[in-house]
Amino acid sequence: MALQLEAAGVSGPAPRPDIVPSLRRQRLLARDHRMLSLAELLLTISIPDPGQDDFVTVAPDDSDHYLRKLFERAVYGFYRHTLEPRGWTVEHGTRLRWSIERISDGMQPVLPGMYTDITLRAPLRPGGKIRRRAVIDTKFTAITHAGNYRTTTLSSAYLYQIYAYLMSQQEQSDEHRHAEGLLLHPVVDGYFDEEVVIQGHRIRCATVDLRASGEVITEHLMRAISLSSAPAIPQSDSADDHRGVTACRHAKVPSELG
């Protein structure tokens, strides 16, 4: 990116995030306002609020598919930016292979493939034998809903999906046999962070409050992948999110990440 900008004639150090708002108040062309708005979002790792008119941006597609993919890419980008400098491996869209013993001619062309959203691999701990592996599946829906036999329940389809991702790969290695799963949703009806261990695989179901401050979003995302179960984190008052834009500070990696 830096080389491309330099080739286009853009040079000099990046401005400090705190002075970008003053740049947007200068007399500029409409396209320049849009570019500065996007630059500020990138510099501060912020989320624009379509209900506010302080930023000049192109209205995005608001379809369910687009928003889910946007959420997935944002989570991937966050973990890549935060964890890779600390020795983690962060993969996106990894294809998983079925452990097939025999397959008929007609089954091969119709057998669905499996693709994970995000896979995290922690650096090997001193004295450790395997790296910690976590498979993340992102969903842009409420994490719980009304059930047939109980007031609130998790989505069985989502739980079966992450279970299949983990169990189908057990024969790959010891790392895969101890892999963890994370179902990550945005906050809809309240913060949620619970877990269960099924057949040796830890499966965590957690939410992140996208309307909160950048600091709280960071805290939610980092706690979702911590080794210890996190207590409920109070949600910030949306009134505190001035201008509807939230800045994400440098993430502090919990010591219990592994």
Side-chain angles (χ1 to χ4, degrees):
M1 173 80 68
L3 293 175
Q4 291 176 341
L5 290 173
E6 186 176 351
V10 180
S11 61
R16 298 193 316 273
D18 59 317
I19 70 169
V20 175
S22 64
L23 296 177
R24 289 194 290 105
R25 287 193 292 269
Q26 296 179 10
R27 204 175 269 187
L28 301 168
L29 297 175
R31 63 174 181 269
D32 296 325
H33 277 291
R34 180 177 300 167
M35 183 60 68
L36 280 172
S37 295
L38 294 174
E40 183 174 355
L41 294 176
L42 290 171
L43 285 170
T44 58
I45 315 180
S46 300
I47 300 174
D49 185 341
Q52 302 292 328
D53 58 3
D54 210 30
F55 278 79
V56 181
T57 57
V58 177
D61 182 0
D62 60 356
S63 66
D64 291 344
H65 175 75
Y66 175 84
L67 292 175
R68 194 197 75 77
K69 296 302 292 185
L70 182 63
F71 180 54
E72 173 190 326
R73 295 289 302 190
V75 172
Y76 164 67
F78 173 86
Y79 285 133
R80 183 182 177 188
H81 171 78
T82 305
L83 299 179
E84 282 191 346
R86 296 170 171 86
W88 288 61
T89 301
V90 182
E91 301 173 351
H92 180 253
T94 303
R95 181 176 183 177
L96 305 181
R97 298 188 180 277
W98 295 101
S99 180
I100 298 174
E101 298 177 1
R102 184 180 63 84
I103 189 168
S104 64
D105 292 340
M107 176 61 78
Q108 184 66 54
V110 297
L111 184 67
M114 290 187 292
Y115 295 87
T116 63
D117 288 348
I118 304 159
T119 302
L120 307 180
R121 298 180 69 220
L124 188 65
R125 281 185 163 187
K129 295 182 179 180
I130 60 173
R131 297 173 67 178
R132 181 186 171 209
R133 185 182 191 89
V135 177
I136 302 175
D137 199 48
T138 58
K139 303 294 183 185
F140 205 73
T141 61
I143 197 167
T144 59
H145 59 85
N148 294 326
Y149 305 104
R150 60 183 69 179
T151 305
T152 305
T153 182
L154 293 168
S155 167
S156 57
Y158 296 162
L159 193 59
Y160 298 161
Q161 184 179 12
I162 197 72
Y163 175 81
Y165 288 166
L166 299 173
M167 297 300 293
S168 66
Q169 306 301 302
Q170 286 204 123
E171 296 181 2
Q172 298 290 333
S173 67
D174 285 342
E175 182 180 307
H176 288 82
R177 277 188 285 275
H178 294 86
E180 306 167 21
L182 169 63
L183 285 172
L184 190 63
H185 294 240
V187 167
V188 176
D189 298 318
Y191 183 79
F192 187 95
D193 185 3
E194 302 294 341
E195 65 178 71
V196 62
V197 177
I198 300 175
Q199 293 175 265
H201 293 281
R202 177 182 183 231
I203 299 177
R204 190 165 187 163
C205 304
T207 58
V208 53
D209 187 358
L210 300 179
R211 294 285 296 179
S213 66
E215 186 173 19
V216 172
I217 291 175
T218 297
E219 184 76 4
H220 284 188
L221 289 172
M222 296 309 294
R223 284 193 177 275
I225 62 170
S226 66
L227 284 173
S228 62
S229 298
I233 304 173
Q235 299 178 57
S236 69
D237 189 342
S238 60
D240 294 336
D241 298 336
H242 47 278
R243 297 189 297 122
V245 179
T246 58
C248 178
R249 302 177 184 176
H250 292 294
K252 180 180 179 182
V253 178
S255 59
E256 70 272 16
L257 275 183

